[in-house]
Amino acid sequence: MYELIATSTFGLESVVAKELKSLGYEILKVENGKVVFEGDEYDIALCNIWLRTADRVLLKMAEFKAESFEELYQGTLKVNWGDLIPENGVMHIVGKSIKSKLFSVPDCQSIVKKAVVESMKRKYKKDWFEENGPVYKIEVALLKDVVTLTVDTSGPGLHKRGYRERAGEAPLKETLAAALVLLSKWDNSRMLIDPCCGSGTIAIEAALIGKNIAPGINRNFVSETWPQIPRRIWDETREYARKKINDKEVKILAYDIDGRVLKTARRNSQQAEVFEYIHFQRMPIQEFSSQKKYACVICNPPYGERIGDKESIEDIYRTMGKLYKENDTWSFFIITSNENFQRNFGKKADKNRKLYNGRIKCYYYQYFRELPKKKKE
């Protein structure tokens, strides 16, 4: 068994932990930006393919205190790196240091590389390694003089589902979009509406959730090239994921005023193989109306920081507030960095959560309504 770490954007740790619990894992620890749990080779494949809100899955190799380069070297040398890395493995070292005596990241990377190679020499009884095989990205992370050594099993971040070729002006990360949907507690028995859909990320992630499609089913991961994880494990995990896709109806409406960006949204949904579950239409939010009950509105409207002007943005927020008042069974979930959102919406949120969209600090304003009673199966 390995100790594994699912990393996350600040504020989403509990969402990632809940996802892991639903997949059957026992959580060992939840810290800022990461959730620690245990698993084997099957779990590395399963978590990379299934996790919707985590940034990547790391394999924890060691944790120890180091206030000097010698302590860093000796702590790294104690790890049997050859048990993981083959003779021809590419050892790519990255690092970060926060509030630690060893503040020079390049020096820390150099020391760790030296110690890893020395450990490999002991294992393979040779002095030189070709490094032309599978990639092992080792991170040396120092926080208050405590070193954590990990190896990345994901490769490109888990938000890179493979469906988004282009995005709008203020793109929302796929992992964050999935988290917004999960936090709303929407399910496929209700209609979901995104009135400012942009490149369609929220609608697409909702469709993947509604159909129970694993977000990483159609992409590759760096650990697929590792000899430790047999090809059949990845094949079996993907086959399992395909069998878990449900045949339930999903109702998603996605609107935007920009016809050009809607073309991108349609293309993205086709790439994600969920186009048939989303109705895209060019329409300003001011013209939108519906008689449907119990809809769930999830939206990432313009913030006023990079796109749009102040008056038109505030008008969008006021229109949303009007829709909220006119539709007393609709729930609303809006992410924005705009400080005046609640005032323009006309009501204080039942709950709000601090999140980061890239480097922009945002709040996820949540307006709950009573949900429809579930029919007995």
Side-chain angles (χ1 to χ4, degrees):
M1 292 289 276
Y2 301 111
E3 194 165 320
L4 301 172
I5 299 170
T7 65
S8 81
T9 301
F10 177 79
L12 294 184
E13 297 87 351
S14 64
V15 184
V16 173
K18 192 171 181 181
E19 270 201 273
L20 284 164
K21 284 177 185 173
S22 72
L23 289 170
Y25 297 100
E26 187 177 329
I27 307 303
L28 300 181
K29 210 167 18 176
V30 179
E31 298 176 340
N32 278 346
K34 62 184 182 181
V35 182
V36 183
F37 61 107
E38 285 184 336
D40 59 15
E41 288 81 4
Y42 266 104
D43 300 303
I44 289 171
L46 187 81
C47 290
N48 274 301
I49 288 170
W50 274 99
L51 286 176
R52 300 182 189 280
T53 60
D55 289 335
R56 50 184 75 242
V57 179
L58 308 179
L59 180 56
K60 185 176 173 182
M61 302 299 289
E63 189 172 278
F64 54 90
K65 189 163 186 179
E67 296 182 343
S68 68
F69 287 131
E70 181 61 23
E71 288 175 328
L72 175 62
Y73 178 81
Q74 293 299 335
T76 306
L77 189 61
K78 282 179 185 174
V79 178
N80 294 318
W81 292 97
D83 291 347
L84 177 71
I85 305 172
E87 276 187 72
N88 66 340
V90 178
M91 295 164 274
H92 177 47
I93 318 292
V94 297
K96 60 184 177 184
S97 179
I98 301 168
K99 297 179 182 175
S100 296
K101 292 183 178 68
L102 300 178
F103 57 84
S104 171
V105 172
D107 286 339
C108 290
Q109 289 170 271
S110 178
I111 295 290
V112 167
K113 178 69 182 270
K114 186 179 175 184
V116 171
V117 171
E118 200 58 42
S119 171
M120 297 275 287
K121 285 179 184 178
R122 290 189 313 210
K123 167 80 174 179
Y124 294 109
K125 308 290 189 270
K126 59 190 290 190
D127 291 329
W128 185 80
F129 299 95
E130 207 166 353
E131 294 199 50
N132 62 357
V135 175
Y136 293 80
K137 188 169 83 172
I138 300 164
E139 181 181 73
V140 49
L142 290 98
L143 175 63
K144 296 178 182 176
D145 300 322
V146 174
V147 178
T148 305
L149 296 173
T150 59
V151 180
D152 176 26
T153 74
S154 301
L158 296 183
H159 71 283
K160 299 209 171 185
R161 319 285 206 218
Y163 66 73
R164 195 161 81 175
E165 293 175 2
R166 293 189 223 166
E169 270 184 86
L172 193 68
K173 232 179 185 181
E174 293 89 331
T175 43
L176 179 55
L180 301 184
V181 177
L182 292 175
L183 286 167
S184 76
K185 296 190 167 47
W186 171 80
D187 65 32
N188 51 24
S189 68
R190 301 161 66 202
M191 184 169 69
L192 186 143
I193 305 165
D194 183 354
C196 303
C197 73
S199 55
T201 311
I202 290 173
I204 291 167
E205 290 298 321
L208 294 174
I209 290 167
K211 297 297 294 180
N212 199 37
I213 299 170
I217 197 169
N218 291 322
R219 60 158 284 184
N220 296 314
F221 305 93
V222 71
S223 49
E224 289 189 61
T225 64
W226 295 0
Q228 290 84 1
I229 310 179
R231 181 74 249 164
R232 64 174 173 78
I233 286 180
W234 294 97
D235 292 341
E236 288 169 10
T237 307
R238 286 195 172 90
E239 185 57 33
Y240 166 77
R242 288 187 190 98
K243 287 177 180 173
K244 296 296 286 183
I245 298 171
N246 66 48
D247 58 1
K248 293 177 181 174
E249 185 186 0
V250 175
K251 297 160 286 196
I252 299 171
L253 306 181
Y255 302 100
D256 203 279
I257 196 170
D258 187 337
R260 179 183 54 83
V261 85
L262 271 177
K263 281 183 183 174
T264 299
R266 289 189 181 99
R267 272 200 306 273
N268 289 343
S269 69
Q270 286 164 343
Q271 284 284 109
E273 299 176 10
V274 294
F275 177 72
E276 63 187 289
Y277 311 116
I278 307 168
H279 173 72
F280 290 102
Q281 188 175 339
R282 184 178 181 182
M283 183 189 292
I285 189 172
Q286 292 83 354
E287 292 178 17
F288 175 74
S289 67
S290 173
Q291 301 302 311
K292 291 278 187 183
K293 299 279 189 184
Y294 301 109
C296 180
V297 178
I298 306 177
C299 189
N300 172 39
Y303 301 164
E305 298 191 15
R306 287 185 285 178
I307 48 183
D309 65 293
K310 187 182 174 187
E311 282 183 23
S312 65
I313 286 160
E314 289 183 350
D315 184 47
I316 289 170
Y317 298 160
R318 282 191 289 270
T319 302
M320 285 181 177
K322 186 166 172 276
L323 283 169
Y324 176 82
K325 286 173 188 166
E326 290 171 352
N327 299 275
D328 60 6
T329 63
W330 290 17
S331 304
F332 278 69
F333 302 90
I334 316 295
I335 185 169
T336 178
S337 68
N338 191 293
E339 299 287 339
N340 297 321
F341 172 77
Q342 290 179 104
R343 190 176 69 201
N344 288 301
F345 189 84
K347 182 173 169 55
K348 188 179 176 185
D350 298 315
K351 190 176 181 182
N352 73 51
R353 188 185 193 109
K354 184 162 74 172
L355 297 171
Y356 281 84
N357 182 11
R359 294 179 180 273
I360 304 172
K361 183 176 79 173
C362 300
Y363 286 92
Y364 190 37
Y365 296 101
Q366 299 162 72
Y367 297 86
F368 299 100
R369 288 285 183 38
E370 191 177 338
L371 298 179
K373 288 184 172 61
K374 295 271 187 185
K375 291 178 183 175
K376 289 184 180 177
E377 297 275 342

